[in-house]
Amino acid sequence: MASDKKQLILSTVLDLVKQTGFYHLNMKAIAERAGISAGTIYLYFKSKEELINELYQTVLGEFNQAVLHSYAPEVGFSGNFEAMLRAAVDFYLPRKDYFSFIEQYTYAPFLFKESQEENFSLLLPIFKLLRQGKKEGLVKAFPEPVLISIIHGTLNTILKMHFAHKLDLRKKSVYQSFCTAVREAVTNPANKDSLPTPHP
Amino acid sequence: MASDKKQLILSTVLDLVKQTGFYHLNMKAIAERAGISAGTIYLYFKSKEELINELYQTVLGEFNQAVLHSYAPEVGFSGNFEAMLRAAVDFYLPRKDYFSFIEQYTYAPFLFKESQEENFSLLLPIFKLLRQGKKEGLVKAFPEPVLISIIHGTLNTILKMHFAHKLDLRKKSVYQSFCTAVREAVTNPANKDSLPTPHP
DNA sequence: TTTGAGAAAATGAACGTTCATTCAGTGATA
DNA sequence: TATCACTGAATGAACGTTCATTTTCTCAAA
């Protein structure tokens, strides 16, 4: 089917970017790896630029869906914050190719203005939650961009380090440390008086 | 003088990377902007790769020097931690070209294995300090890579946001928020008993 | 079931462009 | 004249894209 081949091309690009990097990506290499000819790619994509941009949107879409899916209105701010942070990590952890692609896309020459913007809103759902938590006094009173930097920056770097084998996020203890660290960095210390008491 | 022209070439590259990006950097553009011919560049550098790598080492060296220079043995852990964090910010704040170059270099095809390593050790002096502070119980008991992620990641992202005009680090309040945020994220809450009392 | 003609998909050689690198030539200075 | 830094046209490799041609698929007629 037609969309099969399109999918094949897209996943081949992910594969190649992970393995050889964005700079060495070329249409012939994509074609070879996918077992098709270079010309065929142009039956499914108008240009290399369009191909890359479509892949970017796809990856971003999948990510957003994964994070949003972890949101549950009933568990309140703290529960949702941790859940979405974990969802973000869990999404990329088994998808080094996705992470690598998103990372390198940022500095590719294709980047539309709109996409450039988007890059900071990668964790948009989390940031929304943040604003809510701030109103409730649960989140520290730092300017929003500072809070974003902590979450986005820490997440980004820890994933990078994980994939560079500087740490192993699959270890429960490391994973937990990361979550705790981000929570503590962003939220006010829990007031004992306001803690929900299991048995009043 | 010979080193004058070398310097001219190096700073021209910084300029061009900032303005047009790494991908569009080419030898002819460098030559034109520097007011020399393309061939001349090859009198001072063996190749484009060598040129870029030398520039990378230069920028890194300047940065390390700036951060190390801010270290003062007499002010203890907290004082030094804040001083070095500030030194790092202060270094890049007026040097968008440096920051942009370092950022994009990471994903350039030139990257040697050694340089790849180096990228996480960008804040090496700070990390050394961290280890010391951990022993003294001043730093939170997270795995070191987690602490590194917080500092490196947050610093990196906040600079990126600053240069993208998402915030203004030149504002005292924003700057202070950032410093406080990182300190709180990394260090244990100060114990009032152990605070140095100005007038005992 | 077989045939075959027309549609759709795929091919890969060829093209034009860009780019790093080279080198024969230029001109100023000693 | 000899030396030197410098020039910029020439070179060739790499790349995205195109398109004339071939292959594969489809399905109605025999």
Side-chain angles (χ1 to χ4, degrees):
Chain A
M1 209 202 299
S3 91
D4 277 357
K5 195 145 284 180
K6 206 166 173 178
Q7 272 309 308
L8 170 68
I9 295 169
L10 288 172
S11 64
T12 301
V13 172
L14 275 181
D15 220 46
L16 274 175
V17 169
K18 181 180 68 174
Q19 284 200 12
T20 64
F22 225 109
Y23 279 83
H24 295 113
L25 188 71
N26 66 70
M27 302 303 268
K28 205 162 179 194
I30 298 169
E32 256 170 42
R33 174 72 71 102
I36 59 178
S37 91
T40 305
I41 299 175
Y42 287 86
L43 298 176
Y44 297 93
F45 299 95
K46 222 178 62 204
S47 65
K48 187 183 181 185
E49 173 169 342
E50 199 191 85
L51 165 56
I52 298 295
N53 279 321
E54 186 162 331
L55 184 54
Y56 180 73
Q57 293 303 328
T58 303
V59 170
L60 228 63
E62 276 189 53
F63 175 77
N64 274 329
Q65 207 179 337
V67 172
L68 270 175
H69 193 264
S70 74
Y71 179 81
E74 68 272 17
V75 298
F77 169 79
S78 309
N80 272 316
F81 183 74
E82 174 129 356
M84 289 172 111
L85 193 64
R86 282 173 179 271
V89 175
D90 292 345
F91 178 82
Y92 281 121
L93 222 46
R95 293 182 181 86
K96 183 178 175 178
D97 49 353
Y98 281 35
F99 183 73
S100 178
F101 175 76
I102 293 282
E103 277 281 303
Q104 300 191 47
Y105 176 84
T106 309
Y107 285 109
F110 315 114
L111 212 60
F112 292 137
K113 279 146 279 130
E114 326 122 45
S115 307
Q116 181 74 279
E117 287 300 315
E118 237 163 340
N119 217 43
F120 286 123
S121 58
L122 207 120
L123 296 167
L124 210 72
I126 296 190
F127 301 151
K128 244 186 214 163
L129 190 68
L130 218 62
R131 224 164 295 156
Q132 176 203 324
K134 213 167 166 185
K135 268 187 210 147
E136 299 176 25
L138 300 171
V139 169
K140 290 184 182 174
F142 294 131
E144 191 164 307
V146 172
L147 295 169
I148 291 180
S149 292
I150 297 173
I151 301 172
H152 184 281
T154 306
L155 175 65
N156 198 68
T157 303
I158 211 160
L159 283 170
K160 229 190 271 189
M161 293 186 82
H162 170 82
F163 290 126
H165 305 291
K166 304 289 177 191
L167 58 80
D168 189 350
L169 268 174
R170 291 167 310 180
K171 281 188 191 158
K172 274 262 157 55
S173 65
V174 176
Y175 194 129
Q176 190 52 54
S177 293
F178 163 72
C179 292
T180 307
V182 173
R183 180 170 35 78
E184 287 185 8
V186 164
T187 63
N188 283 317
N191 185 339
K192 277 171 196 166
D193 303 337
S194 64
L195 272 180
T197 30
H199 299 290
Chain B
M1 209 204 297
S3 90
D4 275 357
K5 195 146 286 181
K6 206 167 174 177
Q7 271 310 309
L8 171 68
I9 295 170
L10 288 172
S11 64
T12 302
V13 172
L14 275 180
D15 219 46
L16 275 175
V17 168
K18 181 180 68 174
Q19 284 200 11
T20 64
F22 222 110
Y23 278 83
H24 295 112
L25 188 72
N26 66 71
M27 302 302 270
K28 203 162 182 193
I30 298 170
E32 256 170 42
R33 174 73 70 104
I36 60 178
S37 93
T40 304
I41 299 174
Y42 287 87
L43 297 177
Y44 297 93
F45 300 95
K46 220 178 65 203
S47 65
K48 188 184 181 183
E49 174 170 342
E50 199 189 85
L51 165 57
I52 299 295
N53 279 322
E54 185 161 334
L55 184 54
Y56 180 74
Q57 293 304 328
T58 303
V59 170
L60 228 62
E62 274 189 54
F63 175 77
N64 275 328
Q65 206 178 340
V67 173
L68 271 175
H69 193 262
S70 74
Y71 180 81
E74 68 274 15
V75 297
F77 169 79
S78 308
N80 272 317
F81 182 74
E82 175 128 356
M84 290 172 111
L85 193 64
R86 281 173 180 271
V89 175
D90 292 345
F91 178 82
Y92 281 121
L93 222 46
R95 293 181 181 88
K96 183 179 174 177
D97 50 353
Y98 280 35
F99 183 74
S100 178
F101 174 76
I102 293 281
E103 276 281 302
Q104 299 190 47
Y105 175 84
T106 310
Y107 285 108
F110 314 114
L111 212 60
F112 292 139
K113 279 146 280 127
E114 325 122 45
S115 307
Q116 181 75 279
E117 288 300 316
E118 235 163 341
N119 216 43
F120 286 123
S121 59
L122 207 120
L123 296 167
L124 210 71
I126 295 190
F127 302 149
K128 243 185 216 166
L129 190 68
L130 217 61
R131 224 164 296 156
Q132 174 203 326
K134 212 168 167 184
K135 267 187 210 146
E136 298 177 25
L138 300 170
V139 170
K140 289 184 183 174
F142 294 130
E144 191 164 306
V146 172
L147 295 170
I148 292 179
S149 292
I150 297 172
I151 301 171
H152 183 281
T154 306
L155 174 65
N156 198 67
T157 303
I158 211 160
L159 282 170
K160 228 190 270 187
M161 293 186 83
H162 170 82
F163 289 126
H165 304 292
K166 303 290 176 188
L167 58 80
D168 189 350
L169 268 173
R170 292 166 309 180
K171 281 186 189 159
K172 273 262 157 54
S173 64
V174 176
Y175 194 130
Q176 190 51 55
S177 293
F178 163 72
C179 292
T180 307
V182 173
R183 179 170 37 76
E184 287 185 8
V186 163
T187 62
N188 282 317
N191 186 338
K192 276 170 196 166
D193 303 337
S194 65
L195 271 181
T197 31
H199 300 289

